[in-house]
Amino acid sequence: MRRRTGLAVAGAAALVWGEWLNRRWSRALVGDAEGGDAEGGDAERGDTERGDTEGAGASSAVVVLGYHNSRATVNLVNRWRVRAGIRSVTTPGGGHGTRVIFSGGTTGDGPTEARLMADYARSALGFDGPVLLEDRSTTTWENITNVIPLIEDVDRIKIVSQPAHALKARAYLRRQRPDLAERLVRAEDYRPGEWIVVKPLLALYGLWTLRALRPGERKPGA
């Protein structure tokens, strides 16, 4: 009995830890809805309040980063990233004022990650807003380098992936173009309870993949 109780407590603790760490990463290196100061208390606002503060006159770009996709059909991870990207489009009227940029090259002989994600957004999710493709990148650094020309003219920038990977991409944008990094705002790629069973594993992988970031790049409000 004690052993089962101990395992249950350990399992619950792992789930809470994974949830907390992914939430923390989702709020690092992002500003408020105006694309300015880094988030502190603003990170705690709900979805409705963020939507209200994002003025109708401001332009936005949602950058969805691709994941290794060697097959001719879009894989599970990329399908989730597309869904998170589409729900990050907050402009009224179905997102026609926000461009969605799918970024990812090819890792095999089939279509690029960008093309697979864009096709999924159109055919499966019915997204009919503006879509741009960046189909040359094979690394996260290249993702950011190659999307910069596509986001230079917008007021707000959202980068969508699993929270640790999105944070890594935001840190790379901060290094390559600090002026554009000031326009970063939080995307809807973190939701409490979503993927909760695998979040401890995502947290462990995130700690490994973020090991090269500077300490200040990992903290909310940095």
Side-chain angles (χ1 to χ4, degrees), residues 158-180:
K158 300 179 181 182
I159 298 178
V160 175
S161 184
Q162 272 67 29
H165 186 223
L167 171 55
K168 184 178 183 179
R170 292 193 296 271
Y172 286 171
L173 181 61
R174 192 181 190 183
R175 295 178 188 181
Q176 294 185 36
R177 286 290 299 273
D179 58 319
L180 295 183

Side-chain angles (χ1 to χ4, degrees), residues 83-209:
R83 292 196 300 271
I86 299 307
R87 74 190 185 203
S88 297
V89 177
T90 55
T91 302
H96 289 281
T98 299
R99 73 189 64 163
V100 178
I101 303 167
F102 295 106
S103 177
T106 181
T107 54
D109 297 328
T112 64
E113 295 165 5
R115 170 54 63 189
L116 289 170
M117 291 191 293
D119 289 347
Y120 179 75
R122 299 287 198 201
S123 62
L125 304 182
F127 182 71
D128 60 355
V131 168
L132 298 176
L133 302 185
E134 185 290 295
D135 57 6
R136 296 177 296 158
S137 302
T138 57
T139 66
T140 306
W141 184 268
E142 290 177 358
N143 285 134
I144 296 305
T145 299
N146 293 331
V147 301
I148 282 175
L150 306 178
I151 61 176
E152 287 183 302
D153 61 335
V154 300
D155 301 307
R156 293 187 300 268
I157 302 166
K158 300 179 181 182
I159 298 178
V160 175
S161 184
Q162 272 67 29
H165 186 223
L167 171 55
K168 184 178 183 179
R170 292 193 296 271
Y172 286 171
L173 181 61
R174 192 181 190 183
R175 295 178 188 181
Q176 294 185 36
R177 286 290 299 273
D179 58 319
L180 295 183
E182 293 178 359
R183 307 177 198 176
L184 286 166
V185 295
R186 187 159 63 89
E188 290 297 323
D189 52 7
Y190 167 81
R191 284 188 173 178
E194 187 176 49
W195 289 56
I196 188 169
V197 175
V198 298
K199 273 180 178 171
L201 296 177
L202 293 174
L204 289 172
Y205 177 75
L207 290 172
W208 179 81
T209 195

Side-chain angles (χ1 to χ4, degrees), residues 45-77:
R45 295 176 182 171
D47 295 346
T48 302
E49 185 173 347
R50 283 200 311 276
D52 291 342
T53 57
E54 292 186 352
S59 58
S60 301
V62 176
V63 180
V64 182
L65 305 178
Y67 176 76
H68 181 83
N69 206 129
S70 58
R71 297 184 178 181
T73 56
V74 62
N75 62 35
L76 174 66
V77 173

